[in-house]
Amino acid sequence: MPASTPPSPPPAGTALRTLQRWRETGQDERVDLIAEEVPVAMRYNGAAFAVMMATPCDLEDFAMGFSLSEGLVARPEQLLAIEVQVQLEGIELKMTVAADAPAAALDPADGRLLPGRGGCGLCGSRQLEDVLRPLPPVGDRRAYSPIALQRALADLAQHQPMNAVSGSTHAAAWADASGRIGWVREDVGRHNALDKLIGALHHNGHSSEGGLLVISSRASYEMVSKAARAGASVLAAVSAPTALAIDLARNADLCLVGFARDGGFNVYTHPERLQAG
């Protein structure tokens, strides 16, 4: 049988691949849309820091969000330039940072030694202290209504075009006080999606401080760490949190919500953030 053709144009970050579909009634050849995953190398003033496996779209947002959430720049304005260089082996993000940015003092010998795989936000960290860095307490501790959270959760799937066709990407979304989703980013890595969202907010003149963040994944340590460093007030995960994530969220004054789905959710820390404003 002729191969079926998916709708066009495909969403950014996806690629066409052929497959054989096997069923009890027989087999046929199909064309499917698959999420892309490529090595993305992070360089700061020429020094290599990490190689992350990521979906190759919204890379300027990724560079900004990753730099902020990893503490490589203290403020967005310290990231002076981002050059996206496509190579045969993958993509390089060549970033120029100000002299007073933490990344300006990087020693190539102290960089991450391993690639950050799609499901890992900490791969390649050399020291234990690199993993458990103290988190700043959330400064803007605004509250959101449970109705706003439920609205954001209900609308999240509509903002995931890559996942709609591939079924294999995560999303991170920012919602306002009414629960209206304003910004969403997708990636094969849950932490990459959150970094891209943080970067997109800054690139578009918004701040995540005091914000409501919704993620389509579990809430592990690195997700809480990135949300707290971004100053979010609430982090709501569709799946479960880890024990360490709960402890860190409590200490950082971040409201952590897990199993956030239709009909209810679990609030693990700072339930006062989900009161009527």
Side-chain angles (χ1 to χ4, degrees), residues 220-233:
S220 50
Y221 157 81
E222 73 272 25
M223 303 301 280
V224 166
S225 176
K226 290 176 185 295
R229 289 182 180 278
S233 183

Side-chain angles (χ1 to χ4, degrees), residues 1-34:
M1 293 179 61
S4 64
T5 303
S8 59
T14 62
L16 297 174
R17 295 292 185 270
T18 58
L19 61 90
Q20 279 196 339
R21 190 177 69 162
W22 288 46
R23 297 293 186 270
E24 291 181 355
T25 55
Q27 301 88 40
D28 62 356
E29 186 175 286
R30 299 244 167 177
V31 177
D32 205 359
L33 284 168
I34 309 295

Side-chain angles (χ1 to χ4, degrees), residues 22-149:
W22 288 46
R23 297 293 186 270
E24 291 181 355
T25 55
Q27 301 88 40
D28 62 356
E29 186 175 286
R30 299 244 167 177
V31 177
D32 205 359
L33 284 168
I34 309 295
E36 291 188 280
E37 184 179 31
V38 302
V40 178
M42 304 288 194
R43 283 188 174 272
Y44 294 88
N45 291 0
F49 179 73
V51 178
M52 308 297 294
M53 297 304 298
T55 303
C57 59
D58 302 311
L59 292 176
E60 290 85 356
D61 293 337
F62 188 28
M64 174 64 78
F66 181 89
S67 300
L68 287 166
S69 67
E70 292 290 328
L72 294 159
V73 297
R75 305 177 304 279
E77 56 269 24
Q78 288 183 326
L79 184 52
L80 305 178
I82 303 167
E83 179 186 353
V84 179
Q85 188 171 90
V86 179
Q87 300 180 351
L88 182 62
E89 301 86 355
I91 298 172
E92 267 198 343
L93 295 182
K94 295 185 175 181
M95 290 165 274
T96 304
V97 298
D100 59 340
L106 282 178
D107 181 344
D110 290 333
R112 293 186 177 182
L113 297 178
L114 300 175
R117 296 170 178 85
C120 175
L122 301 171
C123 300
S125 295
R126 291 173 59 117
Q127 306 290 343
L128 287 176
E129 56 266 28
D130 292 337
V131 176
L132 294 178
R133 292 173 294 174
L135 297 178
V138 173
D140 189 340
R141 303 174 187 179
R142 71 187 69 178
Y144 289 83
S145 74
I147 295 174
L149 174 55

Side-chain angles (χ1 to χ4, degrees), residues 245-247 249-250 253-257 267-273:
I246 294 170
D247 295 341
R250 182 180 296 110
D253 294 326
L254 172 70
C255 176
L256 179 60
V257 177
V267 184
Y268 292 90
T269 62
H270 299 286
E272 67 276 8
R273 302 288 160 70

